[in-house]
Amino acid sequence: MKLAIITDVHGNEMALKEVLKEIDLNGDIEEIWCLGDMIAMGPETNEVLDLLFARNDVRMITGNHDEAILSLLAGEGHPESYKHTREHHEWIANQLSSYHIEKLNQLPRIIEKEINGIKVIGIHYHIEFNKQHAHIKDDPFYSILEPNLENMEKMYENYSADIICFGHHHPEHFFQNERQIYLNPGALGVSKGNTAPYAIIDFKERKPTVQIKQATYNKEAFIQKFKTLKVPQREILFKLFYLEN
């Protein structure tokens, strides 16, 4: 069996389409795990969710942006620590269809599977066990740590899985020790380059193998869409996430 890992699509339909096209051409990938933050930052919220929810091979979880926007829509407030994104989140919330709101509200925070005796877990980022069910306003996700083996071991030492897949922190993470593999292919939809990363885990052999791949997409057309739609806070998003300084 092969498992594809994608994360942090962030409203980038153009990048997602190219990744899904490559995954489909691979031919023998049985499942795609999408590890949160499908929406916000990019302008193509409903388009991204249409693609993902239409597929029978995709399993999804929520990320911090998904949950913050759902909290706004439910009238439950907005995390104080995300106040700098509130204007943008409100704009995204107003774009979401009622169908997508219902579907997003049904998603879990964690997915797990055992494949050929290998335990795999998908989570947006580490959540301490006493915060597993905490509301997004209580900032349940762990503070972002620099991507290195020592930090991954620190965060995930109490997880019983053999492979821990996650997102949230946008750079690529791929580390392993004798006990565990820590995998974040990098943010699919948020990059200063022109490619969208994803990972494929192959379980055919006794020891699974991991490949991190890059799909190219029309970044210029994607950036233009921000301007055409007058996406709130687009200039700061360009500076922080999409365009070289």
Side-chain angles (χ1 to χ4, degrees):
M1 175 185 174
K2 289 183 181 178
L3 171 66
I5 304 295
I6 63 175
T7 187
D8 295 86
V9 179
H10 280 300
N12 189 338
E13 180 200 22
M14 297 180 189
L16 178 61
K17 276 186 172 179
E18 294 306 317
V19 168
L20 292 176
K21 186 186 301 182
E22 289 193 7
I23 289 173
D24 289 340
L25 286 172
N26 190 284
D28 57 353
I29 294 174
E30 294 184 23
E31 283 186 5
I32 302 168
W33 285 13
C34 182
L35 302 182
D37 278 2
M38 288 72 69
I39 63 178
M41 293 193 185
E44 300 165 329
T45 288
N46 288 314
E47 295 90 338
V48 161
L49 294 176
D50 281 339
L51 285 172
L52 293 170
F53 284 129
R55 296 181 64 112
N56 295 322
D57 57 353
V58 173
R59 297 181 67 186
M60 301 163 64
I61 60 174
T62 53
N64 55 300
H65 285 273
D66 310 312
E67 293 188 20
I69 291 166
L70 289 174
S71 181
L72 272 177
L73 287 162
E76 296 173 354
H78 191 256
E80 180 65 21
S81 59
Y82 300 0
K83 62 184 179 181
H84 59 290
T85 65
R86 179 153 187 160
E87 181 186 1
H88 179 73
H89 278 178
E90 288 176 342
W91 184 82
I92 295 292
N94 288 332
Q95 311 301 312
L96 271 174
S97 72
S98 58
Y99 170 77
H100 291 143
I101 294 168
E102 179 182 359
K103 295 286 283 185
L104 286 170
N105 272 310
Q106 295 172 3
L107 296 178
R109 276 183 172 164
I110 297 173
I111 48 179
E112 298 177 87
K113 185 165 186 157
E114 185 168 318
I115 305 169
N116 296 341
I118 304 294
K119 294 180 181 179
V120 188
I121 190 170
I123 188 168
H124 187 59
Y125 204 63
H126 172 53
I127 302 175
E128 293 180 354
F129 288 102
N130 63 343
K131 296 182 178 180
Q132 289 287 327
H133 303 289
H135 194 279
I136 190 63
K137 289 189 301 180
D138 298 324
D139 285 325
F141 292 101
Y142 204 73
S143 298
I144 286 178
L145 300 180
E146 286 299 310
N148 59 54
L149 178 59
E150 182 180 1
N151 283 338
M152 299 305 101
E153 291 172 335
K154 173 184 176 181
M155 279 199 296
Y156 297 113
E157 63 181 348
N158 293 322
Y159 287 60
S160 61
D162 301 295
I163 304 177
I164 300 161
C165 303
F166 58 97
H168 187 50
H169 195 188
H170 294 169
E172 174 187 314
H173 301 56
F174 180 28
F175 305 101
Q176 55 189 315
N177 55 27
E178 293 181 356
R179 189 171 73 91
Q180 292 177 315
I181 292 173
Y182 312 96
L183 174 63
N184 169 4
L188 185 154
V190 181
S191 167
K192 292 193 175 183
N194 298 319
T195 60
Y198 65 101
I200 296 175
I201 310 174
D202 191 335
F203 294 89
K204 283 187 290 189
E205 303 297 332
R206 185 179 64 83
K207 185 175 181 180
T209 59
V210 176
Q211 286 184 297
I212 296 178
K213 296 178 172 288
Q214 304 283 340
T216 58
Y217 72 101
N218 190 340
K219 177 75 170 291
E220 186 177 337
F222 176 66
I223 293 297
Q224 182 57 45
K225 196 159 188 179
F226 281 84
K227 300 173 184 177
T228 301
L229 296 176
K230 299 181 180 179
V231 176
Q233 299 185 290
R234 60 188 176 279
E235 294 301 331
I236 188 64
L237 293 175
F238 289 162
K239 182 178 180 180
L240 292 176
F241 302 113
Y242 293 109
L243 300 179
E244 299 288 350
N245 296 329

